[in-house]
Amino acid sequence: MKYILILNGPNLNLLGQREPGIYGTETLETILEGLRIRFAEIDLRHEQHNGEGELIDTLHAAGFDPDCIGIVFNAGAYTHYSYAIADAIAAIPAPVVEVHMSNVQAREEFRHRSVIAPVCCGTVAGFGADSYRLGIEALLSRH
Ligand code: DQA
């Protein structure tokens, strides 16, 4: 069965507790529950890893899987400096949508740069948990 992978990077396991003024009070589990209700007809898979290596292994596995429609990826702070993750995204045929809950362009300067943006098919940022929904819709509309 075809599926979409939602992939979350470092510190996103702390959603709900982590800087609620920026990331809101919803936990990752609640966000995923909402997405699974909204996209009931789609197999939505999820992985969260704090480590760069695990994220790269996951990108390799899903990215070459013919059943994977695409990956909605919040790389957290790796977004801003991980060339290893950028290379992994460039290496895989599956489309990857970069998502951020916060409006990274309105935050500290180090968050303005994304080294993964050039190898993703697009970016959604600034809509809180809704950024994930918009990322999924972007993948479905180009599928
Ligand atoms: C984030 C933005 C990143 O700058 C930050 O390091 C995160 C979360 C977001 O979803 O807004 O961990 O990706």
Side-chain angles (χ1 to χ4, degrees):
M1 188 184 178
K2 297 265 184 199
Y3 65 92
I4 287 177
L5 176 68
I6 300 167
L7 181 58
N8 276 297
N11 302 307
L12 292 157
N13 54 311
L14 296 180
L15 285 178
Q17 298 165 278
R18 174 194 184 196
E19 299 181 274
I22 297 174
Y23 300 112
T25 53
E26 261 193 284
T27 64
L28 195 48
E29 287 65 33
T30 315
I31 292 170
L32 289 167
E33 253 173 54
L35 291 170
R36 289 200 170 107
I37 290 168
R38 181 158 193 138
F39 296 100
E41 73 290 2
I42 313 271
D43 182 9
L44 284 185
R45 302 194 186 167
H46 175 255
E47 289 197 34
Q48 187 276 330
H49 299 287
N50 290 317
E52 201 174 9
E54 288 98 329
L55 289 168
I56 291 169
D57 289 341
T58 305
L59 287 165
H60 291 172
F64 282 104
D65 183 347
D67 286 334
C68 181
I69 294 168
I71 302 168
V72 172
F73 186 23
N74 187 345
Y78 289 135
T79 303
H80 312 301
Y81 66 91
S82 176
Y83 296 109
I85 287 180
D87 281 351
I89 296 170
I92 59 175
V96 177
V97 179
E98 173 186 0
V99 302
H100 301 286
M101 298 183 77
S102 63
N103 179 359
V104 280
Q105 295 303 322
R107 298 182 63 195
E108 304 96 316
E109 204 167 333
F110 77 89
R111 296 185 206 275
H112 296 182
R113 178 157 184 254
S114 167
V115 300
I116 68 169
V119 289
C120 289
C121 59
T123 302
V124 180
F127 300 100
D130 221 23
S131 291
Y132 293 97
R133 175 185 66 81
L134 292 164
I136 293 167
E137 280 178 2
L139 280 180
L140 293 175
S141 68
R142 75 195 293 287
H143 179 56

